[in-house]
PDB file of all heavy atoms in Angstrom:
ATOM      1  N   ALA A  29     110.580  89.968  72.115  1.00  0.00           N
ATOM      2  CA  ALA A  29     110.209  88.997  71.116  1.00  0.00           C
ATOM      3  C   ALA A  29     108.821  89.245  70.578  1.00  0.00           C
ATOM      4  O   ALA A  29     108.521  89.094  69.365  1.00  0.00           O
ATOM      5  CB  ALA A  29     110.251  87.572  71.784  1.00  0.00           C
ATOM      6  N   HIS A 149     111.197 106.620  73.811  1.00  0.00           N
ATOM      7  CA  HIS A 149     112.466 107.454  73.892  1.00  0.00           C
ATOM      8  C   HIS A 149     113.646 106.730  74.231  1.00  0.00           C
ATOM      9  O   HIS A 149     114.693 107.314  74.558  1.00  0.00           O
ATOM     10  CB  HIS A 149     112.284 108.637  74.957  1.00  0.00           C
ATOM     11  CG  HIS A 149     111.199 109.558  74.560  1.00  0.00           C
ATOM     12  ND1 HIS A 149     111.075 110.060  73.306  1.00  0.00           N
ATOM     13  CD2 HIS A 149     110.206 110.181  75.247  1.00  0.00           C
ATOM     14  CE1 HIS A 149     110.022 110.972  73.259  1.00  0.00           C
ATOM     15  NE2 HIS A 149     109.508 111.043  74.413  1.00  0.00           N
ATOM     16  N   LEU A 267      97.782 103.683  94.892  1.00  0.00           N
ATOM     17  CA  LEU A 267      96.711 104.078  95.789  1.00  0.00           C
ATOM     18  C   LEU A 267      95.584 102.937  95.852  1.00  0.00           C
ATOM     19  O   LEU A 267      95.016 102.685  96.793  1.00  0.00           O
ATOM     20  CB  LEU A 267      96.078 105.382  95.425  1.00  0.00           C
ATOM     21  CG  LEU A 267      97.038 106.552  95.670  1.00  0.00           C
ATOM     22  CD1 LEU A 267      96.280 107.810  95.177  1.00  0.00           C
ATOM     23  CD2 LEU A 267      97.477 106.697  97.111  1.00  0.00           C
TER      24      LEU A 267
END
Side-chain angles (χ1 to χ4, degrees):
H149 294 317
L267 293 177

